[in-house]
Amino acid sequence: MSETPWLTIVGLGEDGPEGLSPASLEALAQADIIMGASRHLNLLPDLTGSKITWPVPFADGLPILLSHRGSQVVMLASGNPFWFGGGSVITRYLKPKEWRALPAPSAMSLAAAALGWPLERTQCFGLHANPFAQLRPHLFPTSQILATMRDGAAVADLATWLAAKGFGATQIHVMEALGGLRQRIRKVSAECFNLSDVAHPVCVGLEIVGTGSIVPLASGRPDNLFQNDGQITKRPIRALTLSALAPCPGEHLWDIGGGSGSIAIEWLMAHPTCIATTIEVKPERAAQICENAAQFGVERLQVVIGSAPTVLEGLDVPNAVFIGGGISHELLKTVWNALPSDARLVANAVTLEFEALLSQWHHSKGGELLRIELANAQPLGRKRGWSSTFPIVQWSVSK
């Protein structure tokens, strides 16, 4: 029989040890140290192991836990520690043979069972430590969302946020202490939210209803969704640019000349594992980019203030680069040398000088040179005519 790891992560429901597996009960009985939140520790009967309350913030408990290597330690977690829990945070510091997990039903499973929602078709979020803006792309009529919340006050804040986004008619199922004796489920609309006694732990089920703007799924979202001072890659050009950049899961983008951040933000929206770094020389625009990223729930966007190519040194290697302004031979040379094999480069030029430069690089490196000319219908006296925009030359190439 293999040796028992020193750390056992036990998922605990709101009814305490009731319903735990024999393995979980045995781990608790044999533990030298039991660490967990005070509410979890209070659910336990008298045990021989020493109890240690996990501190706040969560990260402060890691060195305490690791200092007990060699003892038999039980870490208590809510439900399934690897479903919006702290399990993955802990195990990244451990070798595979050092730990085991004994999960219980997660809050999401209990919530779906209580509401009769198909969990595989329900969007799930951990909002106890994340911004509400993560929900923004998922706000559309008929959408069903489950989310864990920090506390009762956060539920009220979420209702206010939903109403401000135009989804005040959304039905909020407020679910407290699911699976325990204190379980309580109430339903109220976001715009009429008046519950002042919501107790922790709490999660919510959202049935989205309202007339707020819906974020489209396709690249080239409406320009008015992005705060900008006029420096923005317009919607049709942005769609063509992102198509050329071709984001794939886990890839890293350099967005040089961020402007409003629209290219980098839509890159991040393509997949939750995509990462992006945007370079912007003007601090006020950099701040605007951060605000736009927050509105779309992609605050993982890294914003670097400075001028390329100087600030590119030391950045993580990209899989794709977009140059939206300030094109120069020096910048292209620096970017080209930084690109690994098979990485993509896309550059948009408006002026004749930049167009000539891209033509030279296209002749030298290959790829595709595309001239984009657009015209919009505008009033012309009593009738309408075409108003042409400046043509854009786009060079896209895979190294």
Side-chain angles (χ1 to χ4, degrees):
M1 183 180 292
S2 60
E3 184 179 350
T4 302
W6 70 266
L7 176 64
T8 300
I9 306 173
V10 172
L12 196 64
E14 290 305 308
D15 54 356
E18 296 294 328
L20 286 182
S21 68
S24 296
L25 293 172
E26 182 181 5
L28 286 167
Q30 296 180 355
D32 301 315
I33 305 290
I34 303 172
M35 283 191 67
S38 57
R39 69 182 183 87
H40 286 149
L41 295 175
N42 291 336
L43 292 172
L44 299 180
D46 290 334
L47 296 167
T48 57
S50 300
K51 296 181 180 180
I52 300 176
T53 301
W54 198 284
V56 177
F58 184 83
D60 290 353
L62 295 175
I64 301 173
L65 175 70
L66 297 176
S67 71
H68 292 287
R69 254 191 184 103
S71 302
Q72 283 297 304
V73 180
V74 167
M75 171 194 167
L76 300 175
S78 294
N80 186 344
F82 295 92
W83 184 244
F84 297 99
S88 60
V89 178
I90 299 295
T91 55
R92 73 180 61 159
Y93 296 95
L94 302 174
K95 297 176 182 178
K97 292 184 178 181
E98 289 188 280
W99 64 275
R100 62 173 176 162
L102 302 172
S106 69
M108 302 300 183
S109 295
L110 294 171
L115 300 177
W117 292 1
L119 193 55
E120 74 278 5
R121 296 200 301 272
T122 302
Q123 294 292 329
C124 298
F125 294 88
L127 297 183
H128 46 282
N130 291 313
F132 300 151
Q134 287 193 349
L135 303 180
R136 189 64 188 87
H138 306 278
L139 298 183
F140 57 88
T142 74
S143 174
Q144 292 181 323
I145 297 171
L146 293 175
T148 56
M149 305 299 296
R150 183 187 69 248
D151 52 29
V155 180
D157 293 340
L158 175 61
T160 300
W161 182 84
L162 286 167
K165 295 298 180 184
F167 295 93
T170 291
Q171 298 299 302
I172 304 178
H173 299 267
V174 182
M175 296 171 281
E176 304 159 78
L178 285 174
L181 296 176
R182 296 187 300 113
Q183 174 174 306
R184 180 169 59 171
I185 301 175
R186 293 175 286 178
K187 180 179 175 181
V188 62
S189 70
E191 59 196 359
C192 297
F193 192 89
N194 60 356
L195 304 180
S196 58
D197 60 344
V198 179
H200 180 74
V202 59
C203 64
V204 295
L206 306 178
E207 296 182 84
I208 303 301
V209 183
T211 58
S213 60
I214 299 172
V215 178
L217 297 177
S219 297
R221 275 83 174 181
D223 295 343
N224 61 12
L225 294 181
F226 301 90
Q227 298 181 45
N228 69 88
D229 57 3
Q231 194 70 20
I232 182 174
T233 302
K234 296 297 194 295
R235 182 183 60 79
I237 303 301
R238 191 179 338 117
L240 290 170
T241 299
L242 284 156
S243 176
L245 287 168
C248 294
E251 288 192 329
H252 181 201
L253 171 73
W254 284 359
D255 175 19
I256 301 175
S260 68
S262 59
I263 293 289
I265 289 170
E266 292 213 37
W267 170 280
L268 292 174
M269 293 176 71
H271 197 269
T273 64
C274 287
I275 56 177
T277 302
T278 187
I279 293 90
E280 173 54 52
V281 69
K282 295 187 176 182
E284 60 273 20
R285 281 187 183 154
Q288 182 177 259
I289 291 171
C290 291
E291 292 177 7
N292 282 330
Q295 286 294 320
F296 285 95
V298 291
E299 292 174 306
R300 65 186 186 278
L301 174 61
Q302 179 185 12
V303 180
V304 176
I305 301 175
S307 179
T310 305
V311 298
L312 300 180
E313 185 177 352
L315 296 181
D316 290 341
V317 176
N319 302 101
V321 176
F322 171 61
I323 305 176
I327 304 173
S328 67
H329 178 76
E330 180 188 8
L331 176 58
L332 289 169
K333 181 179 178 181
T334 301
V335 167
W336 189 260
N337 290 335
L339 286 175
S341 178
D342 295 327
R344 287 96 63 201
L345 169 62
V346 177
N348 290 351
V350 177
T351 67
L352 292 174
E353 290 79 8
F354 290 164
E355 181 179 331
L357 184 58
L358 293 187
S359 179
Q360 294 171 14
W361 275 77
H362 171 253
H363 179 73
S364 173
K365 305 297 183 183
E368 182 179 3
L369 200 62
L370 180 69
R371 182 180 172 92
I372 306 168
E373 297 187 70
L374 300 173
N376 296 316
Q378 300 288 347
L380 186 63
R382 295 181 179 179
K383 301 185 183 298
R384 293 171 297 153
W386 292 110
S387 176
S388 297
T389 60
F390 285 110
I392 290 176
V393 171
Q394 181 180 92
W395 177 46
S396 57
V397 62
S398 180
K399 184 173 179 180

